[in-house]
Amino acid sequence: MYGQFRDGFPRIFLDLPLASGGTPSVDFIVDSGFEGDLTVSPDLLPRLDAVYAGEYPFAPADLTYRTRSIYRLVVNWQGEERVTEDIAMEGNPLLRIGMLRGSSVYMEIADGGDVTVEAL
């Protein structure tokens, strides 16, 4: 998978399956600082071919405990179907450390730099 460093972050596109068919490409920030697979906007999740899987408890930097909904979604990851757990959260879509396990990640941290995620 290939992407680019732009707007201050390493980014790659990932195709997500819609409930109505089709797979639009979604621009994800590569963010290895969070556990789990993906973070997706609550506005996008109802359109995806995703299944509700429960609540995810977390504590942000201010240590106020919160929960967010988790959904399961099958995505094509490095040529194979993979079941992911997607946390519904406002903000930019994030590709998290759970997706990156078993991968080599190369980033040129400069505007227009290459971002590469490959299987080990």
Side-chain angles (χ1 to χ4, degrees):
M1 303 185 83
Y2 300 97
Q4 190 175 54
F5 189 92
R6 60 185 162 69
D7 301 325
F9 297 99
R11 297 171 180 269
I12 63 169
F13 284 92
L14 184 61
D15 295 337
L16 299 181
L18 295 174
S20 62
T23 52
S25 290
V26 176
D27 186 21
F28 281 85
I29 292 175
V30 178
D31 189 347
S32 62
F34 293 96
E35 64 184 349
D37 295 328
L38 303 172
T39 300
V40 180
S41 165
D43 296 336
L44 176 60
L45 272 163
R47 299 189 335 237
L48 297 177
D49 189 13
V51 176
Y52 178 76
E55 295 294 313
Y56 173 78
F58 71 100
D62 67 2
L63 297 178
T64 58
Y65 290 91
R66 302 174 188 175
T67 61
R68 293 291 185 264
S69 298
I70 297 178
Y71 294 82
R72 288 206 175 88
L73 180 67
V74 177
V75 299
N76 183 337
W77 178 252
Q78 299 176 345
E80 297 183 15
E81 285 192 346
R82 179 170 173 173
V83 177
T84 63
E85 288 191 349
D86 309 322
I87 299 169
M89 194 173 295
E90 296 295 334
N92 291 309
L94 302 176
L95 188 134
R96 299 156 61 123
I97 196 72
M99 290 297 286
L100 297 173
R101 280 195 180 95
S103 300
S104 171
V105 179
Y106 174 78
M107 297 183 272
E108 295 175 349
I109 309 297
D111 287 335
D114 290 334
V115 176
T116 305
V117 178
E118 298 177 327
L120 289 175

